[in-house]
Amino acid sequence: MPSSRTGRPPVQRAVRRPAVSRPVRDNPVRRLYTRAKKAWDRPLTAYYLILGGSLLITVLGLVMVYSASQITALQMSLPGSFFFRKQFLAAAIGAALLLIASRMPVKLHRALAYPILAGAVFLMALVQVPGIGMSVNGNQNWISLGGSFQIQPSEFGKLALVLWAADLLARKQDKKLLTQWKHMLVPLVPVAFMLLGLIMLGGDMGTAIILTAILFGLLWLAGAPTRLFVGVLSVAAFIGVVLIKTSPNRMARLQCIGATDPGQGDTCWQAVHGIYALASGGIFGSGLGASVEKWGQLPEAHTDFIFAVTGEELGLAGTLSVLALFAALGYAGIRVAGRTEDPFVRYAAGGVTTWITAQAVINIGAVLGLLPIAGVPLPLFSYGGSALLPTMFAIGLLIAFARDEPAARAALSMRQSRFGRKRGGGGGSAPRRWNTMRRRASVARSSGER
């Protein structure tokens, strides 16, 4: 053995072994997150969320209307399914409107903006004519169509404001006029205040709040400066305070926020029994049709307070499902408004999303005792054909806008071409196999097997 210069034997170095790559541990949570993110970013995600979410809300609403309205109908000496049949008819008509709106081009939607606004203003003014307009629950906002059918024109005023304002702001943006505050406010704010005035003549402050939310949503999308936004908000808040202070009924509703006792004269009866219904539902509810509060204890159980009956019969699981559906619908609307390059689509999608989201928040907040009772229905869910028809048309608008995105249009055309192929060739030839089946068969058999 050769020695080193110092006379010591050389040090034996260990032979390095080739590094063995350790298998990467597969994290199921991370894998699920990655898949969900990929599915969330697909071109048709907004389209499916809007279509599926709105249909699920409508179907579940029909079930709950049938359950919540039976006792009320029997107390009025009507068949138990009376309100359900009217709501089902309105849903069928609304589905046709949704389909028509989803297939209409954007140019036709813009062309309908002014006729819809003129028709809504005419009907809202017609409500105040004696002998034509009728009062329901103290609000002069209804027109009788004969028999048990009525129409509330102010519900169509929401759709009219969204379409007309979207067309107005889009034209002004094309001409680069929105940088001037006077072009941003005029004539948008005066027309909106005219609609608010017609609504408040009938005393319906709940619908006026929704219309105000739509106006502010449109101004925010148009890029209104902070001082201008705060100025309009201050004027609207001042008018709202005056209207509340001058009405004992509205002051009583404001005092019922967070109430746990009906109070003197049962002024908070509806708010408290809505909390009772939610509290008695538990996690999974008492069962469909087994509500106790709908037996005359909870007023408007199938309209404004249908969410309370849902909580009592379907429990926390049912109410969270409804909230998740509305959240998905709101996210999809924001996504459509944020990804488009067409200003009209952005304003219209943002206005519809603001309308549905604000109305859902106000209704559910009132049932939970967090907001005053405004008397607005839960969109697509509560009983009421006048509210259901324009809302389903607005959902059709969102579907049309979601389909019109370039990436979504390409994905739909690819899907149609894939599923539009003929399975069988002409002339009696054998049926054509799917490509996936051929790939599986080629992998399954060996190279020499036929």
Side-chain angles (χ1 to χ4, degrees), residues 437-447:
M437 297 298 294
R438 287 205 300 269
R439 285 197 298 269
R440 292 175 184 173
S442 62
V443 171
R445 64 192 180 197
S446 61
S447 58

Side-chain angles (χ1 to χ4, degrees), residues 69-337:
S69 64
Q70 286 181 329
I71 306 304
T72 304
L74 293 175
Q75 289 175 346
M76 299 172 64
S77 300
L78 297 170
S81 60
F82 175 78
F83 294 105
F84 169 76
R85 285 181 293 176
K86 290 183 62 178
Q87 186 73 357
F88 184 81
L89 176 61
I93 300 174
L97 292 176
L98 184 148
L99 182 62
I100 293 172
S102 64
R103 295 294 179 176
M104 288 169 55
V106 175
K107 291 183 179 180
L108 186 54
H109 285 302
R110 299 187 68 168
L112 290 176
Y114 282 85
I116 292 178
L117 178 65
V121 170
F122 174 75
L123 291 176
M124 291 167 67
L126 203 62
V127 167
Q128 306 304 323
V129 177
I132 298 179
M134 58 182 302
S135 177
V136 176
N137 294 331
N139 293 336
Q140 185 80 14
N141 281 316
W142 297 82
I143 295 177
S144 177
L145 300 180
S148 61
F149 292 94
Q150 303 164 353
I151 187 174
Q152 188 177 4
S154 58
E155 293 292 338
F156 295 89
K158 304 172 187 176
L159 177 63
L161 178 62
V162 168
L163 285 177
W164 175 80
D167 178 70
L168 174 71
L169 294 174
R171 285 189 290 107
K172 289 196 173 188
Q173 180 173 333
D174 292 337
K175 297 178 181 179
K176 299 181 180 180
L177 297 175
L178 291 181
T179 55
Q180 305 176 26
W181 66 270
K182 59 181 180 180
H183 283 287
M184 186 174 292
L185 294 182
V186 180
L188 175 60
V189 174
V191 172
F193 276 24
M194 177 189 66
L195 294 174
L196 289 171
L198 291 173
I199 292 174
M200 289 308 301
L201 282 176
D204 188 2
M205 191 169 183
T207 304
I209 293 175
I210 305 299
L211 216 66
T212 306
I214 295 173
L215 173 62
F216 286 129
L218 291 169
L219 288 176
W220 183 78
L221 287 171
T226 305
R227 60 181 182 276
L228 186 63
F229 201 84
V230 172
V232 178
L233 182 61
S234 301
V235 173
F238 175 76
I239 296 175
V241 169
V242 171
L243 292 174
I244 292 174
K245 287 287 187 180
T246 54
S247 173
N249 182 29
R250 298 189 186 112
M251 285 296 299
R253 291 187 179 187
L254 193 64
Q255 294 171 358
C256 290
I257 298 178
T260 57
D261 185 84
Q264 186 177 4
D266 294 334
T267 55
C268 299
W269 179 273
Q270 187 179 24
V272 170
H273 279 271
I275 298 296
Y276 290 168
L278 291 172
S280 60
I283 303 252
F284 298 105
S286 57
L288 193 61
S291 170
V292 176
E293 289 293 332
K294 68 182 180 182
W295 287 76
Q297 299 296 322
L298 181 63
E300 307 296 336
H302 60 296
T303 54
D304 300 344
F305 271 69
I306 194 171
F307 189 76
V309 180
T310 304
E312 185 178 5
E313 295 187 351
L314 303 183
L316 181 64
T319 55
L320 289 180
S321 299
V322 175
L323 290 175
L325 289 173
F326 276 109
L329 193 59
Y331 166 79
I334 294 173
R335 174 170 168 166
V336 171

